[in-house]
């Protein structure tokens, strides 16, 4: 189960709201994994991948602009983590046939990857820029 937790909150509204939205998209994946009402989930999986990719690209851009504006020292390593995440999602999108023929496996793998990555990234990597951002906020 992927749900918003108090420990994810930074007190920076823009980021908190975008992280909430990401967790929401992730929990949509969870619901899809547990949905047994249909035989074919290809369209839903692809739509979810697109939504996730679009939203993360937007969020990463906003987040990077915020920490770059305060000359955050960990910027490069942080951006690299973002890049790898987008690359992984793009990897899925280049194998649409593979998604189609292994729908349940793809969904499960995707859910595990996204849930683990999101939580770890928020509580560890993102949290590191919080003191600096809060200190420089007016
Ligand atoms: Fe981040």
């Amino acid at each position: 189960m992927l749900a918003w937790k108090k420990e994810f909150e930074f007190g920076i509204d823009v980021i908190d709201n975008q992280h909430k939205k990401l967790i929401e998209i992730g929990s949509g994946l969870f619901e899809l994994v547990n949905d047994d009402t249909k035989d074919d989930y290809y369209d839903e999986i692809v739509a979810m991948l697109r939504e996730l990719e679009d939203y993360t690209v937007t969020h990463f851009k906003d987040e990077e602009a915020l920490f770059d504006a305060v000359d955050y020292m960990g910027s490069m390593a942080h951006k690299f983590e973002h890049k790898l995440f987008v690359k992984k999602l793009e990897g899925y999108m280049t194998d649409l046939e593979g998604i189609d023929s292994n729908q349940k496996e793809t969904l499960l793998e995707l859910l595990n990857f996204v849930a683990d990555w999101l939580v770890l990234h928020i509580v560890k990597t993102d949290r590191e820029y919080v003191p600096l951002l809060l200190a420089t906020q007016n």
Side-chain angles (χ1 to χ4, degrees), residues 19 59-60 63 67 78 81-82 117 121-122 125-126 129:
H19 282 162
H59 164 61
F60 291 164
E63 195 180 74
F67 64 58
H78 196 138
E81 274 193 36
H82 288 170
W117 193 91
H121 187 81
I122 292 173
T125 310
D126 285 342
Y129 63 63

Side-chain angles (χ1 to χ4, degrees), residues 59-72:
H59 164 61
F60 291 164
K61 216 172 77 203
D62 289 349
E63 195 180 74
E64 289 169 8
L66 274 177
F67 64 58
D68 276 344
V70 293
D71 295 324
Y72 174 53

Side-chain angles (χ1 to χ4, degrees), residues 77-100:
H78 196 138
K79 284 178 181 171
F80 190 63
E81 274 193 36
H82 288 170
K83 210 180 200 144
L84 288 182
F85 183 82
V86 174
K87 262 211 151 26
K88 174 97 177 175
L89 291 187
E90 281 170 358
Y92 279 101
M93 296 303 275
T94 58
D95 184 21
L96 294 177
E97 271 178 35
I99 293 177
D100 200 13

Side-chain angles (χ1 to χ4, degrees), residues 35-83:
D35 186 340
D36 282 324
T37 53
K38 301 204 309 179
D39 292 326
D40 196 295
Y41 289 93
Y42 176 76
D43 291 342
E44 285 87 347
I45 298 170
V46 173
M48 200 140 264
L49 265 170
R50 289 221 170 97
E51 188 187 7
L52 191 59
E53 197 191 339
D54 285 353
Y55 198 77
T56 43
V57 168
T58 304
H59 164 61
F60 291 164
K61 216 172 77 203
D62 289 349
E63 195 180 74
E64 289 169 8
L66 274 177
F67 64 58
D68 276 344
V70 293
D71 295 324
Y72 174 53
M73 294 247 304
S75 174
M76 253 175 57
H78 196 138
K79 284 178 181 171
F80 190 63
E81 274 193 36
H82 288 170
K83 210 180 200 144

